[in-house]
Amino acid sequence: SDMLGTASGYLTIRDSKGFAPEDMELNFDGRFSNLTLNHYNYKNIIIKRGEFANNEFEGKIDVRDRNLAMTYDGSIDLNNMQFDFDLKLDSADLSALHFMEDSLNAKLYAEDIQVDITGTDINELEGEAKITDFYFTQKGQDLAIDQLSLTIDRAEERDSITIKSDLVDAQLSGKFDLI
């Protein structure tokens, strides 16, 4: 795939069991000096703790790249597409990381991002995300939000999306698709 490129580093397997993906259990840590993702070569990725079993990952990862400084601590369940993690985003240069056009000069910061969301498709997403001390800048335009929360509830007869922040509060109710 074009998304993933070369990598240079190591993983230390602390404990393992099984060879088939459905039987595999791994406990590991490691460090990547280089990892190319989305045509950007990330530096200094440290896996402080990693566990993979039953198509579920749980771990703690630090990234100390000049264009991305963050700490991830949480889990991803690929069976149920459940994401439950805490992310400290010290800085992210979205243009340098190829998530936005270079000319936009977009940067993002967030003290804390907490996510507990489940869903195999954007129109089935359900759960909650909270962001504390969010700051986004693009071409000299700044947006700062102290607190932002998003809650998505799904039911057979009615869905609800609630957004709360120091800038706006909104609630949508009914049956709808996000895309």
Side-chain angles (χ1 to χ4, degrees), residues 77-94:
D77 178 349
L78 297 173
N79 298 308
N80 301 309
M81 295 310 290
Q82 182 170 2
F83 305 88
D84 185 3
F85 61 84
D86 191 24
L87 184 70
K88 308 283 189 214
L89 186 60
D90 298 326
S91 65
D93 185 331
L94 300 176

Side-chain angles (χ1 to χ4, degrees), residues 51-62:
E51 299 171 15
F52 185 81
N54 302 318
N55 239 6
E56 298 176 28
F57 169 80
E58 184 173 332
K60 184 168 185 175
I61 302 170
D62 281 338

